[in-house]
Amino acid sequence: MKIYTKTGDKGLTSLIGGTRVPKSSLRIECYGTVDELNSHIGLVRDQEVNAGRRPLLKEIQDRLFTIGSALAADPEKSKMKLPDLHAADVTLLEDEMDRLNLDLPELRAFILPGGHPAVSHAHVARCVCRRAERLVIHLAEDAFVAELVVVYLNRLSDFLFVLSRAMAHELGVEEVTWQARL
């Protein structure tokens, strides 16, 4: 099987359902950013400090692929049965955040990315997640997007923040705090 099809050489791509759209369209930007986020989650998953969390992070990657497939479908033309999100997917993130927070010191300052490369990777993933969320919210202004997609991305960015703190704690590195200059 060839990977290249040449059908996108003029700057168009097909959505699930057959609709051709410019590669610069907001819908493509949305699922492209979710794909970028998935790559960053893979990098976070590969950090040794996350060895015990690899199944959870793989689950998150699976859900991001689910979100990407929903965003890649033309909601008016696609008849294909697509995987979907469930409220339990959001609950899983909330439960994991609650569990991680049990071992963390109280948050008393704004946290800056840094302190260890692994922690910084989690912060980059968090930022890309927030960008994906903003783009999807923008898309939802004019097109159908399942509400749970926005909820999941919002909760995932919170999870990635808590995960970055947990990683710093487990690695024994000091969190980098914002020092306001007044």
Side-chain angles (χ1 to χ4, degrees):
M1 177 178 134
K2 289 185 179 184
I3 295 298
Y4 60 92
T5 62
K6 300 182 183 182
T7 59
D9 289 354
K10 301 242 187 268
L12 297 175
T13 192
S14 292
L15 299 176
I16 298 171
T19 304
R20 300 281 293 166
V21 297
K23 291 183 177 185
S24 61
S25 78
L26 180 57
R27 182 171 293 281
I28 305 307
E29 188 67 29
C30 285
Y31 75 74
T33 303
V34 169
D35 186 38
E36 179 185 353
L37 172 59
N38 207 332
S39 295
H40 284 291
I41 297 292
L43 187 56
V44 170
R45 189 190 74 222
D46 290 342
Q47 302 304 306
E48 190 57 39
V49 67
N50 289 321
R53 285 186 278 269
R54 285 189 179 126
L56 169 65
L57 292 165
K58 168 63 167 63
E59 171 73 18
I60 290 168
Q61 288 185 286
D62 287 342
R63 297 300 66 79
L64 289 173
F65 213 84
T66 296
I67 289 170
S69 66
L71 294 170
D74 182 336
E76 296 185 17
K77 291 191 178 173
S78 177
K79 304 289 188 248
M80 186 176 180
K81 173 79 171 130
L82 296 172
D84 58 355
L85 290 175
H86 301 279
D89 299 320
V90 174
T91 302
L92 174 66
L93 295 174
E94 292 170 346
D95 291 346
E96 287 298 318
M97 279 187 279
D98 292 344
R99 190 182 61 70
L100 290 172
N101 265 324
L102 291 174
D103 296 328
L104 295 177
E106 184 178 344
L107 189 59
R108 297 183 183 273
F110 287 104
I111 305 297
L112 300 175
H116 189 280
V119 174
S120 295
H121 287 307
H123 279 288
V124 169
R126 174 185 55 78
C127 292
V128 173
C129 188
R130 284 290 186 208
R131 177 165 33 98
E133 179 188 10
R134 290 189 304 271
L135 288 167
V136 169
I137 289 168
H138 185 53
L139 178 65
E141 292 171 2
D142 297 317
F144 173 78
V145 175
E147 183 179 336
L148 206 49
V149 169
V150 174
V151 173
Y152 187 85
L153 291 172
N154 183 42
R155 209 67 82 250
L156 179 57
S157 63
D158 294 337
F159 167 79
L160 291 166
F161 175 73
V162 174
L163 177 62
S164 71
R165 295 194 70 220
M167 291 167 63
H169 182 73
E170 293 163 8
L171 289 164
V173 297
E174 190 174 329
E175 290 182 300
V176 180
T177 59
W178 177 47
Q179 304 300 314
R181 186 175 56 208
L182 303 174

